[in-house]
Amino acid sequence: MFESRTGILLIAGLGFFALAFLSNGLVPILMYRDMPEQTAEEVVNRHLLIQFDDLRSRYPEGFAKLVRHLGHDPEAKPTPESDRQLAAETLRYARKLYIGEACWHCHSQFVRPVSNESRRWGPVAKSWEYQNELQRPVLFGTRRVGPDLSREGGRRSNDWHAVHFFKPTSLVEESVMPEYPWFFDGDPNHPNERGIAMIAYMQWLGSWLPHYFNNYVDPRLAEAQP
Amino acid sequence: MSSGAAPAVPLARRLVDEPLVLAYFIAALTYLAVTLLAGLLMALQLVQANPLAGLEIFSPGRWRMVHTNGAAYGFIANAFLGALHWAVPRLMLRPVLSRPLSWFIFVAWQGVVIATVIGLLAGQAQAVEWGETPTWIDPLALAGLALVAINFIPPIVSKAGALYVSAWYFLAAFVWTFLTYAMGNFLPQYFIPGTGGGAIIGLFIHDLVGLFVTPLGWGLMYYFVPIILRRPMWSHALSLVGFWGLAFFYPLTGIHHFLYTPIPMFLQYGAVVSTIAVEFVVLTVIINFLGTVWDRPWVAWQNLPLRWFFTGIINYGVTCAQCALQTTLTFQQLIHFSDWVVGHAHLVMLGVFGFWLLGIMIYLIPRLVRRDWYSKRLNEWHYGLTVAGMTLMFFDLLFAGIAQGVSWGSLQIWEDSLAISLPFWWVRVLAGLMIIAGQICFFVNVYLTLRTGTAQTEELVAHA
């Protein structure tokens, strides 16, 4: 059996593989059965819509481009429903960019319960946060050249992000993050559809938590925090 | 199979499609060149010296994915297929199922890899690490893997009775690679969101190394090492332990890539325990190979292909010792997300499997073109520069990782970890340039050997 073709094909090839899949793959799937996947529309929230409004008034041309890119009429008068729909489509679009540019190879999207991470970024990651369409495939990440982004929303202003994406070193001298001038029409004041979408996505990350950041607390000053 | 046709041509030569083997090697080396340049671009980005900054098509993130996918599917997969087209028919004394099919697979696979590179550069990546191949290519790649299995399995299973060790590994690898690719590229993309999908991605990342690259690599070592040494493996019992231990424990380890995520903790513990078990299994394999040269260790140095093989085997021991440490939760706190892991990945992909495949090419290319290497000296430079560069990069990234982990854990501002990393990242650029210089020696030597070469040697004729 140990040196025969049937033993190798059936036991090692299929059997052991199936065993691992059932124990390590199927078990978590079954455990999260009671948490159905949410759509992008369902995870749009008030925090994001406020940022969305800010982006519209701050960068009208880029915003109109985004609306047009998503197949809607930029002239149409926004309603709460249309905004919600638009925001959901923006998140889907931005997520594609986030994956295509490999942001997830330099930034993680989960906070661990160790190494003081919850003091640096906020609450430790929980399963329910990932049960939505924007986390399929999940964007945990395995490398941090830059900081974790799962609690990025609200931490920086929209114009900070714009300048940062245009040229990170103009804000953070040591930054090794690539510049993304193709998110802009020429200068940091004119993000195009990609730039606006990416900023909105940054503001969405973590916005589902009650304590959406209003002020970023420098970890050096965080000693006083609980 | 035996009597009858064309007695002038030795059997082995009739079994192997030699031009195909060479074509695979040349394809592999071409992608190796692309992979190295992509790596260099990312390395320069990390020292703020990217000469192509701000150009969309040279977006460093996209090239990082070209780097990893080029290494796995362009360099390693092509080189494996070439080596298998040599080893399987000779080992089993039966040709592959179909020569036209072999060539079709060759062309189709180059199509898959080129499409992957173009797709990644166009920003169409899929968010599965080591499986970034755009989603529309996945079914084609899977079909290609199925054809590979269909082509190689018949010569192996048509032999009755006990099979040799290499055949165990090959047979299992064809099944595993297909299953792994199907699982990792489709389930988390279309069916399973969030944490559950993360567990599957973890299995995929690890199975790709453990169930595709590792078994093919060891299968080839079990074939080439005894042939070059002209003696059997030291212990058949250890070969059995190594194969069955790997088959059982390796698939169970994947979740160790996502320790401290919301994946249920008992599964994380399971993955940690299996990973440590794998290290003991691996140790038996390494002991078996060292045992085979124990009384004549100098042969493993004097013979260049063997030197590459045994350097890889020692590196394998190092990576595996590293695995057993870094999979523990205590170590994870410090080194996860850091360059430690990047160093580990380089040592596995280049320092082990890359070295083995380079060794195989150095052994086979003269036999394929029936001419000796153009320059022995260039081959020595190739070995020296590559091994020195790899070693330097490994230790550099290892220490960089520890420094980064300490900086993060002690709540320094993020820029502090960048400032700490900068000198390490410069050394990495240097190490990368050494590796590139080594490969340039090799590429030049391959080119000159193919074009001119020196006269056919007696020894080669005897071996061919």
Side-chain angles (χ1 to χ4, degrees), chain B residues 424-440:
Chain B
F424 291 104
W425 283 338
W426 269 114
V427 173
R428 185 250 286 272
V429 172
L430 177 73
L433 288 174
M434 286 165 70
I435 293 172
I436 290 176
Q439 305 324 300
I440 290 175

Side-chain angles (χ1 to χ4, degrees), chain A residues 5 101 105 116 142-143 175, chain B residues 48 59 62 129 157 337 409:
Chain A
R5 52 200 174 184
E101 298 292 0
H105 279 305
N116 289 324
T142 53
R143 176 79 178 93
S175 183
Chain B
Q48 297 186 318
S59 171
R62 300 184 198 180
E129 193 168 1
V157 294
F337 297 122

Side-chain angles (χ1 to χ4, degrees), chain A residues 1-5 7-9 11-14 16-17 19-21 23-29 31-32 35-37 95-97 99-106 108 110-117 119-121 124-128 130-133 135-148 169 172-182 194 216 218-220 222-223, chain B residues 42 45-46 48 53-56 59-62 64-65 120 123 125-129 132 157-163 168 171-172 175-176 179-180 183 187-201 203 207 211 236 240 243-244 247-248 251-252 255 257-264 266-267 332-334 336-339 342 404 407-415 418 425:
Chain A
M1 179 192 87
F2 291 123
E3 302 179 35
S4 77
R5 52 200 174 184
I8 287 158
L9 282 174
I11 301 178
L14 295 176
F16 289 168
F17 188 91
L19 178 72
F21 177 75
S23 58
N24 286 252
L26 201 62
V27 167
I29 295 173
M31 288 176 69
Y32 300 130
M35 286 194 268
E37 179 185 288
R95 175 190 147 82
K96 279 210 192 97
L97 298 173
I99 296 168
E101 298 292 0
C103 312
W104 55 292
H105 279 305
C106 278
S108 61
F110 72 102
V111 176
R112 302 187 300 168
V114 291
S115 298
N116 289 324
E117 293 192 4
R119 287 183 77 187
R120 188 187 283 276
W121 287 302
V124 170
K126 294 277 190 312
S127 289
W128 63 267
Y130 299 89
Q131 290 301 104
N132 61 67
E133 131 188 37
Q135 291 289 354
R136 176 164 50 81
V138 71
L139 294 174
F140 284 152
T142 53
R143 176 79 178 93
R144 284 179 187 153
V145 179
D148 186 85
T169 42
V172 182
E173 204 188 325
E174 302 91 337
S175 183
V176 296
M177 174 157 149
E179 47 199 74
Y180 293 95
W182 55 94
R194 302 196 226 185
Y216 171 61
D218 188 315
R220 280 180 302 191
E223 294 305 277
Chain B
M42 192 68 196
Q45 174 67 36
L46 291 182
Q48 297 186 318
L55 299 173
E56 178 172 356
S59 171
R62 300 184 198 180
R64 183 202 198 268
M65 300 189 283
L120 291 177
Q126 176 184 15
V128 175
E129 193 168 1
E132 287 93 346
V157 294
S158 63
K159 182 176 176 301
L163 294 167
W168 314 340
L171 210 48
V175 179
W176 285 331
L179 293 175
T180 299
M183 172 184 75
L187 295 183
Q189 179 73 31
Y190 301 109
F191 303 107
I192 306 162
T195 310
I200 304 231
I201 294 179
L203 294 185
D207 287 357
L211 300 183
H236 191 66
L240 272 166
F243 174 80
W244 284 96
F248 183 76
L252 294 169
I255 288 177
H257 288 267
F258 289 121
L259 296 177
Y260 287 125
T261 59
I263 293 175
F266 69 93
L267 291 177
Q332 276 288 306
Q333 299 181 14
L334 182 70
H336 190 45
F337 297 122
S338 78
D339 270 329
V342 180
Q404 291 157 354
S407 164
W408 299 335
S410 57
L411 289 178
Q412 302 296 310
I413 54 166
W414 198 265
E415 292 83 299
L418 299 175
W425 283 338

Side-chain angles (χ1 to χ4, degrees), chain A residues 53-67:
Chain A
D53 241 7
D54 181 72
L55 286 166
R56 172 163 32 217
S57 52
R58 208 180 275 274
Y59 308 113
E61 297 128 28
F63 198 88
K65 277 192 162 179
L66 173 67
V67 177

Side-chain angles (χ1 to χ4, degrees), chain B residues 109-252:
Chain B
W109 191 253
Q110 306 323 313
V112 164
V113 180
I114 291 170
T116 300
V117 171
I118 294 176
L120 291 177
L121 293 183
Q124 299 176 349
Q126 176 184 15
V128 175
E129 193 168 1
W130 291 105
E132 287 93 346
T133 314
T135 47
W136 61 272
I137 305 174
D138 287 342
L140 302 175
L142 191 64
L145 294 175
L147 291 178
V148 170
I150 291 172
N151 205 18
F152 278 115
I153 289 182
I156 303 181
V157 294
S158 63
K159 182 176 176 301
L163 294 167
Y164 177 63
V165 194
S166 298
W168 314 340
Y169 279 101
F170 295 155
L171 210 48
F174 296 131
V175 179
W176 285 331
T177 308
F178 179 85
L179 293 175
T180 299
Y181 198 87
M183 172 184 75
N185 281 277
F186 298 102
L187 295 183
Q189 179 73 31
Y190 301 109
F191 303 107
I192 306 162
T195 310
I200 304 231
I201 294 179
L203 294 185
F204 171 76
I205 299 178
H206 210 74
D207 287 357
L208 205 66
V209 186
L211 300 183
F212 156 54
V213 180
T214 304
L216 289 180
W218 279 122
L220 289 168
M221 285 304 100
Y222 274 107
Y223 175 76
F224 282 108
V225 168
I227 280 202
I228 298 179
L229 281 172
R230 297 175 193 233
R231 54 158 58 177
M233 291 300 301
W234 185 53
S235 157
H236 191 66
L238 281 184
S239 303
L240 272 166
V241 172
F243 174 80
W244 284 96
L246 177 133
F248 183 76
F249 285 114
Y250 229 130
L252 294 169

